[in-house]
């Protein structure tokens, strides 16, 4: 069963899945937006996105679909329901729309930063394979290793900006904030929070977005150089990588 939750304007805000069992069943929604930051394949095909921030009180709708042998069909029309929080929290903003807009900005930044993390890791692995191809393929200039080594050194510097300097932190030395540190701190403080965004949260999000733009440009530059090296290696007869499909 695939449950689709929409807001009063008809915008889909959450999806979750449950397995079909015999007898009466009760499905629970936690009242949060579905996170768009990560891919979650665990439990395939019974998968659900991670939770993001809380929805505002108001009117919502839920529709139910059934997947049978991989084919999706509608099981129940949209049904209206209300969300009304208990009101037992201490901090409650008087401008809920501004809070939800800020939390949406946080989630969008997490989405982009997660993509950068994944792209960086794939590129790092690609550079290692290109070095192996350079070492192992007769006819390829051995000096290509120097260019690849230079790119790997640049990647190592970017890694510190992405994740922090582990060699220093494990020895109890202070380290500059990393990109994932910035976004992790603001997301942790923002989700399930009902008060107005603090200036500290806004500053961390601003710092994260600025650092993301800087690192994204650097990674794209390295990727472009790696692509040129890959083409030259393939022309010289090196093995193809996973992202290549020869004619």
């Amino acid at each position: 069963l695939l449950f689709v939750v929409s807001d009063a304007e008809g915008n889909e805000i959450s999806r979750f899945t449950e397995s079909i069992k015999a007898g009466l069943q009760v499905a629970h929604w936690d009242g949060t937006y579905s996170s768009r930051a990560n891919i979650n394949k665990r439990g395939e095909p019974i998968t659900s996105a991670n939770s993001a921030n809380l929805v505002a009180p108001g009117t919502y709708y839920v529709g139910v679909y059934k997947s049978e042998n991989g084919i999706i069909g509608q099981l129940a029309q949209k049904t209206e329901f209300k969300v009304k929080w208990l009101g037992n929290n201490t901090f409650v903003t008087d401008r809920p729309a501004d809070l939800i807009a800020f939390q949406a900005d946080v989630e969008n930044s997490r989405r982009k930063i997660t993509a950068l993390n994944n792209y960086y890791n794939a590129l790092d692995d690609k550079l290692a394979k290109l070095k192996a191809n350079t070492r192992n393929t007769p006819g390829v200039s051995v000096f290509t290793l120097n260019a690849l080594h230079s790119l790997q050194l640049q990647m190592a510097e970017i890694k510190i900006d992405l994740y922090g300097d582990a060699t220093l932190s494990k020895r109890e030395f202070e380290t500059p904030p990393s990109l994932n540190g910035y976004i992790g701190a603001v997301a942790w403080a923002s989700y399930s929070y009902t008060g107005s965004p603090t200036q500290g949260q806004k500053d961390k999000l601003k710092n994260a977005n600025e650092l993301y733009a800087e690192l994204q440009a650097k990674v794209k530059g390295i990727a472009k150089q790696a692509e040129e090296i890959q083409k030259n290696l393939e022309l010289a007869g090196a093995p193809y990588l996973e992202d290549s499909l020869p004619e």
Side-chain angles (χ1 to χ4, degrees):
L1 298 177
L2 173 61
F3 295 82
V4 179
V5 181
S6 306
D7 61 17
E9 286 72 42
N11 303 307
E12 290 189 13
I13 61 170
S14 182
R15 292 185 179 188
F16 62 97
T17 55
E18 300 279 352
S19 60
I20 297 178
K21 304 180 182 68
L24 181 66
Q25 297 180 61
V26 178
H28 298 276
W29 174 52
D30 62 2
T32 66
Y33 290 86
S34 288
S35 174
R36 299 173 184 265
N38 299 289
I39 299 170
N40 183 13
K41 298 192 300 180
R42 294 189 303 272
E44 176 73 27
I46 311 299
T47 64
S48 294
N50 295 322
S51 296
N53 46 289
L54 297 168
V55 303
T59 300
Y60 294 87
Y61 298 86
V62 60
V64 186
Y65 298 81
K66 181 178 72 170
S67 173
E68 187 171 6
N69 296 323
I71 304 300
I72 293 289
Q74 189 164 17
L75 186 63
Q77 298 292 332
K78 287 185 178 180
T79 301
E80 179 182 318
F81 66 97
K82 303 287 186 182
V83 170
K84 183 178 181 181
W85 297 111
L86 295 177
N88 57 354
N89 45 332
T90 304
F91 300 102
V92 180
T93 180
D94 56 356
R95 303 180 67 174
D98 290 350
L99 172 62
I100 287 183
F102 174 77
Q103 291 173 329
D105 288 342
V106 173
E107 181 67 6
N108 186 54
S109 294
R110 282 190 67 228
R111 178 171 174 248
K112 294 191 296 184
I113 291 170
T114 299
L116 179 59
N117 291 335
N118 295 336
Y119 192 92
Y120 171 91
N121 292 330
L123 179 58
D124 192 49
D125 182 61
K126 181 176 184 175
L127 291 174
K129 291 176 179 176
L130 291 176
K131 287 188 78 173
N133 273 357
T134 301
R135 284 192 301 267
N136 301 339
T137 304
V140 172
S141 172
V142 296
F143 296 105
T144 304
L145 289 169
N146 293 338
L148 289 167
H149 180 65
S150 175
L151 294 181
Q152 286 183 318
L153 290 178
Q154 295 175 53
M155 290 284 283
E157 294 178 356
I158 292 173
K159 185 176 183 179
I160 293 176
D161 289 329
L162 273 176
Y163 303 109
D165 194 331
T167 60
L168 291 179
S169 60
K170 71 181 181 181
R171 292 174 173 83
E172 305 300 328
F173 284 96
E174 291 186 7
T175 59
S178 65
L179 177 58
N180 284 277
Y182 275 133
I183 197 63
V186 69
W188 182 86
S190 173
Y191 294 157
S192 300
Y193 178 65
T194 56
S196 298
T198 67
Q199 189 59 47
Q201 291 172 350
K202 295 178 182 178
D203 290 342
K204 285 185 174 64
L205 181 59
K206 180 175 180 290
N207 292 335
N209 289 334
E210 290 175 349
L211 186 53
Y212 168 81
E214 176 185 336
L215 298 181
Q216 188 247 29
K218 290 181 178 179
V219 169
K220 285 181 67 176
I222 294 173
K224 185 176 180 180
Q225 295 178 68
E227 184 178 351
E228 288 300 314
I229 293 175
Q230 180 181 354
K231 289 179 181 178
N232 291 332
L233 288 174
E234 290 175 355
L235 288 174
Y240 291 100
L241 300 189
E242 294 87 345
D243 60 354
S244 294
L245 186 61
E247 296 295 334

